[in-house]
Amino acid sequence: MACCATALIGAKTPEPRPAITGISHLAVYSRDMAKSEHFYTHVLGARKGMDPENAAGIRFYFSSRQFVEVLPAPTGHGASMLAHAAYLTTDAARLRSWLVAQGMTELGPVRGVAGGDRWFVTHDPEGNEVQFVQSASPDATAVPGAISSRVIHVGYAVHDRSKQDSYYRRLLGFRPYWFGAFEPTKVDWVSQQAPDGRDWMEYMMIGPGSDVPIAKVNANQLGVLNHLSLGVPNMQAAVTTLYRESRLSPRHDGPQMGLDGKWQANFYDPDGTRVELMEFQPVTKPCCSPFTAESPTD
């Protein structure tokens, strides 16, 4: 017993994971950068900025920390316009080192620009590119005129919930938030909050067990599944602003009550990527399951 106690005293305490606090951005491809710019700046009111990650890309900011990154679609690009999803961390270099210590091997180097954001790239079990970004902005300053200053969630198509859980939940520590479906015997959406914040990511389930058969997953459907959501305190006020200022996108739907009990409205960029406006708080009881964590407040 004495030898074992001595060994424990000398053992190293595992280093804690650096905080993952929320959504940084969603990156999408565009076949017409000018049309995309009109959508993100005119319809949504985002501020255009340079893209330090890709000189051919453009960032459209909703706050000093959150944005959509739009990249030119490569020649012959396929049906999905999703490039990657990115999450905020307090320390990109330490998080990368922590992931290496957990046994991850396919990690890009920490990149960045002087005085700017720092980030690195990894991939989830289904091959989606995932980035972790250490923002250079000391706080989240709203962009004047933007329809929202907060990206509250991103979602993308998922085939295998268990495989994705091994990465997002068991490795990274994302926390269950809500799940639901159109039919009680199925699961269409699985939401989990960032480990150290209230933004969330959403599995948009496809294939067996969901309402979306693989055969239905075309370019139009992928644009619905791969999306981002902007939080608004009042849906009526937000949509009224878009009507009053002639800022509606040609393709849009809602407002309607979501099955999670929150008001939502959908707008679509020129390549079909869905941007969802959603109220921060539910106003009625959600279907399917209760919320298991606090919702964002602003």
Side-chain angles (χ1 to χ4, degrees):
M1 292 295 292
C3 69
C4 296
T6 302
L8 287 172
I9 290 171
K12 280 189 175 181
T13 302
E15 184 176 344
R17 171 188 46 74
I20 300 171
T21 58
I23 306 298
S24 166
H25 65 277
L26 191 74
V28 298
Y29 291 112
S30 169
R31 293 189 173 91
D32 189 321
M33 295 291 282
K35 288 182 178 179
S36 293
E37 179 176 336
H38 181 266
F39 173 81
Y40 288 103
T41 58
H42 176 69
V43 175
L44 301 181
R47 174 176 57 82
K48 178 182 177 181
M50 64 169 290
D51 186 352
E53 182 181 350
N54 187 326
I58 304 173
R59 288 183 175 185
F60 296 100
Y61 287 89
F62 298 100
S63 77
S64 56
R65 285 188 171 182
Q66 293 184 307
F67 54 92
V68 172
E69 181 181 10
V70 179
L71 304 168
T75 302
H77 184 70
S80 175
M81 303 307 283
L82 174 67
H84 62 259
Y87 301 94
L88 288 164
T89 180
T90 52
D91 192 322
R94 280 188 57 231
L95 179 59
R96 186 186 184 282
S97 295
W98 183 88
L99 289 170
V100 170
Q102 307 312 303
M104 287 199 70
T105 56
E106 296 185 12
L107 296 165
V110 175
R111 299 173 56 201
V113 292
D117 296 349
R118 305 184 74 203
W119 67 90
F120 68 93
V121 173
T122 180
H123 292 83
D124 71 20
E126 294 203 352
N128 298 303
E129 181 177 316
V130 178
Q131 294 187 1
F132 293 97
V133 179
Q134 179 182 339
S135 175
S137 178
D139 50 36
T141 304
V143 169
I147 200 64
S148 168
S149 62
R150 176 77 178 275
V151 180
I152 57 174
H153 78 261
V154 296
Y156 31 102
V158 166
H159 302 76
D160 189 322
R161 178 178 177 180
S162 178
K163 285 174 64 176
Q164 294 293 77
D165 278 351
S166 70
Y167 178 78
Y168 290 102
R169 289 192 176 176
R170 291 188 284 277
L171 174 63
L172 297 176
F174 278 70
R175 300 164 296 143
Y177 178 51
W178 177 77
F179 68 87
F182 288 112
E183 299 179 23
T185 59
K186 297 182 177 179
V187 175
D188 293 325
W189 316 288
V190 182
S191 300
Q192 44 270 318
Q193 285 186 334
D196 307 289
R198 294 184 180 178
D199 300 347
W200 71 94
M201 65 87 61
E202 190 169 44
Y203 300 166
M204 305 296 288
M205 300 302 303
I206 60 176
S210 79
D211 282 299
V212 183
I214 296 293
K216 186 181 177 182
V217 182
N218 55 19
N220 183 71
Q221 185 68 39
L222 283 169
V224 174
L225 298 172
N226 300 330
H227 71 284
L228 77 151
S229 181
L230 300 173
V232 295
N234 183 287
M235 185 62 65
Q236 182 178 3
V239 174
T240 297
T241 294
L242 297 180
Y243 270 100
R244 183 179 63 245
E245 298 178 0
S246 299
R247 291 166 56 184
L248 293 174
S249 58
R251 181 184 169 198
H252 61 271
D253 57 75
Q256 64 266 331
M257 180 63 67
L259 291 180
D260 60 356
K262 300 179 183 181
W263 281 107
Q264 62 186 56
N266 296 308
F267 301 85
Y268 300 83
D269 80 5
D271 293 279
T273 296
R274 179 166 64 100
V275 178
E276 175 186 57
L277 300 187
M278 175 179 279
E279 286 192 357
F280 292 108
Q281 297 290 322
V283 295
T284 189
K285 183 179 178 180
C287 87
C288 316
S289 70
F291 288 105
T292 55
E294 293 291 326
S295 297
T297 56
D298 56 27

